[in-house]
Amino acid sequence: MTMKLAIDAMGGDNAPEAIVKGAVEAADTIKGLEITLVGDEAQIKPHLKNQTNVSILHTTETITADDEPVHAVRRKKQSSLVLTANEVKEGRADGCISAGNTGALMSAGLFVVGRMQGVDRPALSPTLPTSDGKGFLMLDVGANVDAKPDHLLQYAVIGSIYAENVRNIEKPRVGLLNVGTEDGKGSELTKKAFELMQTAPINFVGNVEARDLLEGVADVVVTDGFTGNVALKTIEGTAMTMFSMIKQTFMSNFKTKIAAGLAKNDLRKLKDQLDYSEYGGAGLFGLSAPVIKAHGSSNERAVLNAIRQACQMIELDVTNTISSTLNEMNKEEEES
């Protein structure tokens, strides 16, 4: 099976070097993969090997982190990010990846790639680490700050299908992020979403609390984009602060510095365990083709993992599985 991916070579803090090197490794190791790198040829070429399955679509225009997302996508039609999405729209690529401006990629996904049939609102969904190393999927973390109960139901179904097919979890546990675990807790949104999820074709385990997320209380955690983004940033900030405090403690005197030297490898393992780029990028789920948002600070390994993630979605036809399941649910709803 031939899989074609378009990759924004100019997006992210370490672009283009890390993006191109990750793509080169993927082209070497993933069978049947063809990659189009979109960006400045003069900056991309030095990092390439002479591979026949990697090509360049040249452009010098870019979208920066400071650009207003929707305006940038509409005005900068020759930017690497927009041209990357356009490769999917025109059928020259099966999916696309960018480590660039998150809002711009979401806009390009919506306006250029387009929504899949049956989906009201796409969701941005990273896989986050857990103490047992298995990780959990959280959606939405910022694609839509305002959500309706029906949107959360769709996120639950989309997340469940992704977890089962791509992450190989049998009957993934789907939890609804809430202020307590008891039934009937929370806002009008969560109460209504809870009712809808109880009858959905998923393994719904009820309400889950934020403090239990990293303990692996559920394989898929569903919430609105506002709450999800706050939860994600809190997890990130807490992890960064904890590592900073541990570092300060170990560097405080001669004895602790010796202890730091002895524990160095174990601390590195802990840091790797908390690094969610190991799971690939955040999927923009609900679009008509796989669109992956790699972390802005992605190194070549994180880019490789995001490419593997996109390839799995293409190979296992996850987009069509999601679409047909949602359409089936809509039909049943209309009949009842």
Side-chain angles (χ1 to χ4, degrees):
M1 179 187 178
T2 304
M3 294 173 286
K4 296 177 181 180
L5 278 185
I7 301 173
D8 173 13
M10 311 311 288
D13 304 338
N14 304 314
E17 186 176 352
I19 312 295
V20 178
K21 284 183 174 175
V24 163
E25 194 178 337
D28 265 349
T29 54
I30 301 170
K31 200 176 173 185
L33 176 62
E34 291 178 12
I35 292 174
T36 301
L37 291 167
V38 186
D40 186 349
E41 192 166 0
Q43 292 186 59
I44 294 169
K45 263 194 166 170
H47 309 295
L48 286 180
K49 296 200 299 194
N50 291 325
Q51 291 160 300
T52 54
N53 56 341
V54 179
S55 59
I56 299 171
L57 177 59
H58 174 68
T59 185
T60 53
E61 192 170 40
T62 59
I63 290 176
T64 69
D66 302 321
D67 283 329
E68 199 285 314
V70 179
H71 286 144
V73 168
R74 286 185 173 148
R75 286 177 188 164
K76 295 187 171 183
K77 297 211 185 293
Q78 293 303 305
S79 64
S80 57
L81 191 150
V82 174
L83 289 179
T84 298
N86 199 54
E87 286 296 289
V88 179
K89 182 190 176 184
E90 298 298 334
R92 292 188 291 266
D94 303 310
C96 65
I97 297 168
S98 177
N101 185 314
T102 305
L105 184 64
M106 291 194 293
S107 297
L110 208 51
F111 302 133
V112 182
V113 177
R115 283 195 309 247
M116 72 165 67
Q117 195 186 356
V119 169
D120 297 325
R121 300 264 183 98
L124 188 64
S125 179
T127 299
L128 300 172
T130 51
S131 55
D132 61 7
K134 290 177 181 173
F136 71 97
L137 191 72
M138 184 152 82
L139 68 172
D140 176 26
V141 298
N144 294 291
V145 290
D146 295 314
K148 293 177 181 172
D150 288 345
H151 301 151
L152 297 193
L153 173 65
Q154 288 190 347
Y155 298 164
V157 173
I158 290 168
S160 179
I161 291 168
Y162 178 85
E164 196 162 348
N165 285 273
V166 178
R167 305 209 60 240
N168 297 316
I169 300 167
E170 198 178 337
K171 289 188 178 172
R173 298 160 300 149
V174 180
L176 178 64
L177 188 60
N178 211 329
V179 293
T181 56
E182 306 88 351
D183 296 7
K185 274 267 183 173
S187 62
E188 284 307 307
L189 172 67
T190 54
K191 285 176 189 172
K192 184 71 181 138
F194 186 97
E195 284 175 28
L196 293 172
M197 286 180 202
Q198 281 184 309
T199 57
I202 55 171
N203 177 21
F204 182 53
V205 294
N207 292 321
V208 296
E209 289 189 272
R211 66 181 174 192
D212 301 320
L213 297 183
L214 301 188
E215 289 298 316
V217 68
D219 303 304
V220 178
V221 174
V222 177
T223 186
D224 63 277
F226 182 89
T227 310
N229 195 275
V230 170
L232 175 68
K233 299 282 168 61
T234 305
I235 291 167
E236 283 183 333
T238 304
M240 283 160 67
T241 305
M242 286 296 293
F243 271 108
S244 177
M245 289 164 75
I246 290 167
K247 194 175 180 181
Q248 281 172 8
T249 305
F250 273 125
M251 294 295 116
S252 59
N253 59 54
F254 183 66
K255 274 196 298 186
T256 57
K257 281 177 184 174
I258 292 170
L262 294 170
K264 192 176 173 184
N265 288 339
D266 297 296
L267 288 168
R268 194 170 281 135
K269 277 181 200 165
L270 176 63
K271 196 174 183 186
D272 287 344
Q273 196 180 338
L274 288 168
D275 180 11
Y276 62 87
S277 69
E278 288 296 308
Y279 301 103
L284 194 51
F285 297 143
L287 298 176
S288 58
V291 175
I292 306 292
K293 168 66 180 80
H295 202 282
S297 58
S298 288
N299 56 18
E300 58 190 271
R301 185 173 175 179
V303 173
L304 174 62
N305 287 333
I307 292 169
R308 283 191 178 131
Q309 179 188 11
C311 288
Q312 277 185 294
M313 287 185 72
I314 294 162
E315 207 170 355
L316 298 164
D317 203 15
V318 172
T319 302
N320 278 334
T321 307
I322 291 168
S323 184
S324 57
T325 305
L326 291 175
N327 285 331
E328 196 64 41
M329 283 171 64
N330 289 340
K331 264 187 210 163
E332 284 172 14
E333 200 179 306
E334 283 165 16
E335 284 167 11
S336 63

